[in-house]
Amino acid sequence: MSEPSPILEDLETLQRDTIGYFLRAANPDNGLISDSSREGAPCSIAATGLGLAAYVVGAERGLLPRREAAARTLTALRFFRNSPQGEEPDATGHRGFYYHFLDMKTGRRVWQCELSMIDSAILIAGALTSGMYFSATTDDELEIRELAAFLYERIDWPWATADGGVVRMGWKSGSGFLSYGWEGYSEALLLYVLGLGSPTHPLPEESYGAWTGSYQWENLYDIEFLFAAPLFTHQLSHVWIDFRGIQDPFMREKGSDYFENSRRATEIQRQYALRNPLRFKGYAENCWGVTAGLGPGFSKQRLEGGIERQFYGYVARGVPFGPDDGTLAPWAVAASLPFAPEAVLVALRHVREVYPESLSRHGLLTSFNPSFDNGDGVGRGWLAPEHHGLDQGPVALMIENHRSGLLWRLMRECPAIVTGLRRAGFRKGWLRSRNL
Amino acid sequence: MNDTGYVESRTPAPPAGTHVAEVLPNDFRDAGLLANVRPADWTNPQPARSYNLVVVGAGTAGLVTAAGAAALGAKVALVEKNLLGGDCLNFGCVPSKALLRAARFHTDLRHAPRFAGSAPVPSEPDFAGAMERMRRLRAHISRHDSAKRFQALGVDVFLGNGTFADRRTIEVAGASLRFQKAVIATGSRAAHPPIPGFEAVTYLTNETVFNLTERPRRLLVVGGGPLGCEMAQAFARLGSEVVIAGQDPYFLPGEERDAAEILADALRRDGIEVRLNTEVTGVSQRDGEKHVRLVNDNQETTVVVDEILAAVGRVPNVEGLNLEAAGVEYDHEHGVRVNDYLQTSNRRIYAAGDVALERKYTHMADATARIVIQNALFWGRKKLSSLTIPWCTYTDPEIAHVGLYVHECWERGFPIKTFTVPMSDVDRAVLDGEEGGFVKIHVRDGTDTILGATIVARHAGEMINEISLAMVAGIGLKTVSRVIHSYPTQAEAIRKAGDAYNRTRLSPLLKALSRRWLAWSR
């Protein structure tokens, strides 16, 4: 028997370790998954949604028995079905949406966080994935399908739109909707597809055009692409949706598609790191990945050359105009695997060789910053002390999409996704042959 | 000269209740300013039997109109109730840019280690010195706007409050000015914050902030627009602890989001506490300190400051003119209503500058004054909508724009492409240590026609003029790339956008043919 390819072996190991995060991070009583590996972290509904999809991949890869994956999924879906919805400030959700962060035990809102439309969309995407995968006629799997449909159909998408039709970013009991909506291309692509696909409370079709009207098509470094600064915005929707060959009106006009766009965005990240305009340590064409995530914390340091550096905590880092404080996120590199496999594998190998401390037995730590002086005299910079569910999910799931296309295959048959894409004006490619 | 610094003259004082801004602290430099813009010994001339043009308001719009019309041979009367030069000279562009330059000097000094190694750094910026420099330069520049200069140009200058007596007559200081045509150029003033408590505390606006002689230790700037951002940065760089509170999620609402985020980052690096999505809900004054309530995301906090600068917008000066008698329609929010030819509802009367325009810039006042001269005196048909209008926020980096924004292009159904050049790709910007920012030029997709541009750079205000010129002259990106730009300059960023456009025209087929030819000819 031939030796397994070292690259494949690396990816398998990384995927297995990353899925392990979700197995450990779940509360077995209610299925909620914690936002991070930090002690006392609350539940993140986005991490929970990614976790539901991770169970599917785990079951498919034999990392956990199908029966166990189904049981974990059912626990979570039952919790959300039964959880309190309403305007009370400590409910779990309202109008079918859910608060961004929940108490791990009670499942009620914490941190005075917002009712989050995008994180609810990620949760529902995970639920729909479960509904598509668990297709057996057992009682458990039948109930999974029913609950996934129930939770999806309960969401009142139009309620979350502003005048002019764009979907708002969040809502709070007492102060109402956050004053700004989604502007410019972002991970909200998933949200709009799901919202448009609802059989019960669909978004108006014009809401999608209102959103894409804020797009910016840019020529940067001689690469033409639909601009969004942080790398994860080009990845999250692709965890579930196969955008290869299908085009909405915007992409038809530009002669491209969102998958190709993500490939170009990945290349722009490489080019930015190669240029390294702010002259951070470690940046190179094989060491990149600037995205939203944890950093060394809000502080200033005067480093070599007399340059004063401002560092940040959790912030939406992006290229080419920042914010960029020298923090790199190898998880975001891994999540670009389907778009640029050669470049990603080279970069992952580099991280493993040069920054081995960023890789733990639980997968990739969320970020590191070689430019930060942590005072240890060794000069290795700062390393995030934790894993984040929102980062681990795309790693495990995009590795799977690269290896087998599992999630894309499942969701190409999902009526919500197909309907949503068609109502958004997507045509061609695999959509042609769908009769849903 | 009385205690308030207001110069008494033989011209009547403004009527009670009239809004009048004052220049303080009235040292010898301000005396020089006032001698030019409100001379104490001024005597209004005898009015002519009839005027081709009477201009009410001697800010930029009024001065340009009066001087331009007089140069063409018109009999012109110019009426001003307060200070010639208006906001721009006395309380706007001139003093603010002087202060910003001093502030930038001190910031460059702080960054000396990046350039000069161990150059000594002063412990504290000289705020009073910066204000004194501003007053000296303002007085010097005020010569161009002086009553005497305009009198020498042949303009009858009347100091006093002008009001319309009927559709063809303006009265000022007891004189009646009969006109063929008139121009309302009374400008705008700072809006007062409709916030509980503000009526009972003293706060600064653009009309009073430049009267300061001592640095406020702690300053709250209310408003995230251009004035608020500029002054927040200036005061922070001159040593004040500054908090800036804006209602919107980004600074400069309406501006490119990348630009607004770069600006927010720059303000934070200057040590300014940035509070966006924040509403000011109340203020009280105790022991000389101001306690201001701020609400963000339902969370209320209180900041304690020594001064508040209100920069919450501008309102047109339409009061006290008796516009009704002239049949001129207006409202208090938008000002005098004009058509695209800047004509009011009284066909003999035009309006120019802040009093009638949404975009309240000095160069707009200048441009609309030129339109009004042609349209009012010579049956011109120049349109406001035909203007290509740049604007700039003079923070560091500066943020400049001309033409359409991306969303405006989409709204009008223009598919567009944006050519983006980071300033970090421009050698001179790197060498100057000024590489934060970008040039973005929007062209109609499939063409090189420039529809708009945004520049964020230390010298964006200078650079945007090249693009304005290109747009007015109908020059596209293809031609821009043919224009030799001196190397190394920061303006090369514009040429690089042109070069990037040209590279998109080199299709794969052309590249292949080119390679084949060159290989054959080797």
Side-chain angles (χ1 to χ4, degrees):
Chain A
M1 189 160 65
S2 60
E3 289 289 326
S5 147
I7 296 170
L8 184 58
E9 198 175 75
D10 287 342
L11 290 178
E12 270 184 23
T13 306
L14 180 58
Q15 186 182 46
R16 184 191 63 229
D17 292 345
T18 308
I19 288 175
Y21 170 88
F22 295 99
L23 299 179
R24 282 186 312 279
N27 179 344
D29 295 331
N30 56 24
L32 298 181
I33 293 176
S34 78
D35 175 58
S36 74
S37 54
R38 190 176 66 252
E39 184 75 30
C43 156
S44 152
I45 57 170
T48 305
L50 289 160
L52 293 176
Y55 294 153
V56 163
V57 172
E60 187 71 3
R61 286 283 164 193
L63 301 177
L64 74 165
R66 185 185 179 102
R67 202 170 46 252
E68 182 190 334
R72 284 172 172 266
T73 301
L74 205 46
T75 304
L77 297 185
R78 281 173 181 160
F79 167 80
F80 283 106
R81 180 202 53 202
N82 299 331
S83 63
Q85 288 259 320
E87 291 201 26
E88 319 86 75
D90 68 340
T92 301
H94 180 46
R95 299 274 192 153
F97 296 98
Y98 304 93
Y99 285 100
H100 192 165
F101 298 106
L102 306 172
D103 183 276
M104 278 296 287
K105 290 205 179 77
T106 66
R108 288 182 176 265
R109 175 196 186 206
V110 293
W111 289 358
Q112 297 189 306
C113 64
E114 80 285 10
L115 195 78
S116 170
M117 281 76 214
I118 182 59
D119 297 280
S120 299
I122 297 170
L123 173 64
I124 288 305
L128 290 172
T129 308
S130 311
M132 294 304 299
Y133 181 75
F134 293 106
S135 55
T137 54
T138 62
D139 288 346
D140 276 4
E141 297 201 13
L142 180 61
E143 191 182 349
I144 285 175
R145 295 197 292 282
E146 286 171 354
L147 287 174
F150 171 80
L151 295 174
Y152 176 53
E153 291 169 15
R154 182 165 71 172
I155 301 177
D156 186 353
W157 298 98
W159 169 78
T161 56
D163 300 332
V166 290
V167 178
R168 303 270 200 173
M169 281 192 172
W171 177 90
K172 285 193 177 185
S173 169
S175 54
F177 284 105
L178 300 183
S179 58
Y180 39 93
W182 290 93
E183 194 185 272
Y185 175 56
S186 69
E187 69 275 22
L189 181 56
L190 172 70
L191 182 160
Y192 276 94
V193 171
L194 288 173
L196 287 163
S198 169
T200 48
H201 308 289
L203 285 172
E205 277 183 25
E206 54 269 23
S207 65
Y208 187 70
W211 179 54
T212 61
S214 62
Y215 278 6
Q216 290 191 268
W217 183 261
E218 296 199 10
N219 178 302
L220 173 66
Y221 308 148
D222 287 320
I223 298 171
E224 298 203 353
F225 81 128
L226 176 56
F227 174 78
L231 182 53
F232 90 97
T233 56
H234 294 278
Q235 300 166 336
L236 204 56
S237 306
H238 298 256
V239 167
W240 286 281
I241 304 176
D242 179 7
F243 285 103
R244 291 172 299 181
I246 62 172
Q247 296 172 313
D248 63 359
F250 181 89
M251 283 300 181
R252 267 198 294 287
E253 192 180 86
K254 299 304 181 191
S256 185
D257 63 46
Y258 287 96
F259 182 93
E260 170 63 18
N261 197 69
S262 292
R263 189 192 68 73
R264 296 179 187 185
T266 301
E267 179 57 23
I268 280 181
Q269 287 267 338
R270 281 185 69 238
Q271 287 296 323
Y272 176 82
L274 176 63
R275 284 164 160 79
N276 193 9
L278 298 177
R279 297 184 280 285
F280 286 118
K281 274 192 192 167
Y283 282 41
E285 63 183 330
N286 60 355
C287 192
W288 44 274
V290 178
T291 191
L294 207 53
F298 196 81
S299 62
K300 270 191 187 166
Q301 292 184 346
R302 194 176 283 279
L303 302 175
E304 60 185 71
I307 300 174
E308 201 173 72
R309 293 285 191 204
Q310 176 68 64
F311 295 96
Y312 305 103
Y314 195 103
V315 81
R317 294 172 179 78
V319 307
F321 305 121
D324 179 14
D325 63 352
T327 302
L328 294 170
W331 74 263
V333 176
S336 271
L337 189 58
F339 312 125
E342 296 85 9
V344 165
L345 290 171
V346 163
L348 287 178
R349 219 172 281 131
H350 176 84
V351 163
R352 191 184 58 187
E353 284 164 15
V354 179
Y355 302 102
E357 62 275 19
S358 65
L359 197 62
S360 79
R361 60 190 175 89
H362 305 305
L364 290 160
L365 285 160
T366 194
S367 44
F368 65 94
N369 188 319
S371 301
F372 183 80
D373 181 2
N374 62 8
D376 66 358
V378 177
R380 293 300 289 168
W382 170 86
L383 183 64
E386 57 203 53
H387 300 277
H388 280 197
L390 191 53
D391 309 341
Q392 300 285 74
V395 171
L397 304 175
M398 289 297 255
I399 288 176
E400 190 56 42
N401 278 331
H402 172 69
R403 294 175 71 186
S404 72
L406 172 65
L407 292 166
W408 291 341
R409 252 188 298 119
L410 287 173
M411 301 309 270
R412 283 201 295 262
E413 305 301 326
C414 177
I417 296 293
V418 173
T419 304
L421 288 169
R422 287 208 171 115
R423 289 193 73 222
F426 281 85
R427 303 284 182 266
K428 296 187 178 182
W430 58 265
L431 267 179
R432 273 201 207 107
S433 56
R434 288 299 172 283
N435 292 318
L436 297 171
Chain B
M1 200 167 303
N2 63 27
D3 290 341
T4 64
Y6 184 79
V7 179
E8 293 174 359
S9 72
R10 276 176 255 170
T11 57
T18 305
H19 171 79
V20 173
E22 300 175 353
V23 170
L24 296 172
N26 209 2
D27 66 10
F28 72 91
R29 276 173 280 275
D30 289 325
L33 169 70
L34 291 171
N36 284 327
V37 302
R38 185 85 189 183
D41 58 351
W42 189 258
T43 303
N44 287 336
Q46 281 300 315
R49 192 174 58 81
S50 172
Y51 289 96
N52 292 108
L53 196 65
V54 174
V55 181
V56 184
T60 299
L63 292 175
V64 171
T65 305
L72 292 168
K75 187 67 184 162
V76 182
L78 176 64
V79 179
E80 171 55 46
K81 75 176 182 195
N82 189 18
L83 306 170
L84 277 85
D87 258 52
C88 176
L89 169 71
N90 297 291
F91 314 111
C93 317
V94 168
S96 65
K97 275 54 198 179
L99 206 62
L100 283 164
R101 182 60 185 92
R104 202 172 87 216
F105 169 78
H106 285 289
T107 295
D108 286 346
L109 216 48
R110 213 175 73 229
H111 292 149
R114 290 170 70 181
F115 300 95
S118 53
V121 177
S123 57
E124 204 172 68
D126 182 3
F127 179 87
M131 289 300 234
E132 203 184 302
R133 173 183 180 269
M134 176 274 291
R135 291 201 300 277
R136 182 175 69 242
L137 296 176
R138 182 174 59 181
H140 177 74
I141 288 173
S142 71
R143 295 170 299 131
H144 299 298
D145 296 350
S146 71
K148 285 205 176 87
R149 175 170 172 262
F150 275 76
Q151 184 183 57
L153 290 174
V155 175
D156 283 354
V157 178
F158 292 85
L159 297 184
N161 195 36
T163 57
F164 285 89
D166 57 43
R167 294 178 73 89
R168 290 191 65 175
T169 313
I170 287 169
E171 285 174 349
V172 55
S176 275
L177 311 179
R178 190 143 176 85
F179 58 80
Q180 277 294 313
K181 301 286 172 67
V183 179
I184 302 167
T186 48
S188 64
R189 64 187 183 278
H192 293 275
I195 299 168
F198 261 81
E199 67 287 345
V201 304
T202 54
Y203 61 92
L204 301 166
T205 67
N206 72 294
E207 289 169 8
T208 48
V209 69
F210 301 110
N211 293 341
L212 292 175
T213 51
E214 281 178 22
R215 170 182 40 238
R217 190 166 71 82
R218 299 162 298 180
L219 173 71
L220 169 69
V221 175
V222 180
L227 173 67
C229 292
E230 287 180 8
M231 289 299 100
Q233 191 174 54
F235 276 77
R237 289 177 160 195
L238 289 170
S240 294
E241 292 169 28
V242 177
V243 178
I244 181 167
Q247 274 187 314
D248 297 291
Y250 303 105
F251 287 122
L252 311 180
E255 195 52 81
E256 271 250 0
R257 188 167 144 182
D258 280 335
E261 287 184 351
I262 290 175
L263 175 59
D265 198 43
L267 296 185
R268 287 191 192 99
R269 275 189 274 111
D270 279 327
I272 297 167
E273 189 180 326
V274 170
R275 306 262 202 122
L276 293 167
N277 282 315
T278 298
E279 229 182 290
V280 177
T281 55
V283 61
S284 59
Q285 191 155 335
R286 291 199 283 283
D287 302 324
E289 292 180 328
K290 283 129 178 132
H291 296 246
V292 188
R293 284 197 307 283
L294 306 176
V295 172
N296 164 260
D297 193 21
N298 256 356
Q299 306 287 323
E300 187 178 283
T301 52
T302 299
V303 296
V304 182
V305 294
D306 304 295
E307 294 285 3
I308 302 171
L309 172 61
V312 296
R314 301 191 64 77
V315 292
N317 292 327
V318 291
E319 296 82 8
L321 296 167
N322 200 18
L323 292 174
E324 293 81 358
V328 171
E329 290 175 9
Y330 70 96
D331 68 68
H332 293 280
E333 186 187 340
H334 302 104
V336 174
R337 288 207 198 97
V338 293
N339 60 18
D340 205 12
Y341 303 102
L342 295 171
Q343 208 174 26
T344 70
S345 47
N346 177 337
R347 293 171 62 81
R348 289 186 180 275
I349 301 176
Y350 292 73
D354 285 10
V355 74
L357 303 177
E358 184 192 341
R359 299 217 176 263
K360 295 175 172 36
Y361 312 129
T362 295
H363 48 275
M364 275 297 282
D366 182 298
T368 51
R370 292 169 198 236
I371 288 180
V372 158
I373 292 170
Q374 293 183 72
N375 291 353
L377 299 179
F378 300 107
W379 302 285
R381 302 292 287 168
K382 292 286 182 191
K383 291 184 180 181
L384 176 65
S385 57
S386 68
L387 295 178
T388 297
I389 309 159
W391 55 83
C392 185
T393 299
Y394 295 94
T395 46
D396 180 16
E398 295 177 352
I399 297 170
H401 182 86
V402 66
L404 298 177
Y405 287 99
V406 171
H407 71 88
E408 289 174 324
C409 294
W410 288 115
E411 281 159 15
R412 294 172 200 213
F414 302 149
I416 64 157
K417 185 184 299 183
T418 300
F419 287 88
T420 299
V421 179
M423 292 306 289
S424 55
D425 276 2
V426 180
D427 292 349
R428 181 64 186 276
V430 173
L431 296 169
D432 286 345
E434 297 172 356
E435 64 261 51
F438 56 77
V439 166
K440 286 196 189 190
I441 301 180
H442 314 305
V443 300
R444 194 189 296 250
D445 215 351
T447 75
D448 72 337
T449 305
I450 300 173
L451 296 178
T454 298
I455 299 179
V456 179
R458 204 173 221 195
H459 312 287
E462 307 284 352
M463 292 163 66
I464 201 71
N465 293 325
E466 179 177 341
I467 301 179
S468 292
L469 173 61
M471 291 177 69
V472 169
I475 293 170
L477 268 191
K478 198 165 50 181
T479 307
V480 165
S481 80
R482 289 205 325 251
V483 173
I484 300 171
H485 287 60
S486 292
Y487 177 88
T489 58
Q490 294 195 22
E492 273 191 283
I494 296 168
R495 188 189 180 169
K496 283 178 180 286
D499 290 344
Y501 168 80
N502 276 346
R503 285 192 292 273
T504 66
R505 298 175 66 232
L506 193 60
S507 66
L509 173 62
L510 279 174
K511 268 190 211 162
L513 288 172
S514 166
R515 271 197 212 106
R516 208 172 281 178
W517 159 252
L518 291 167
W520 178 84
S521 61
R522 279 202 274 275

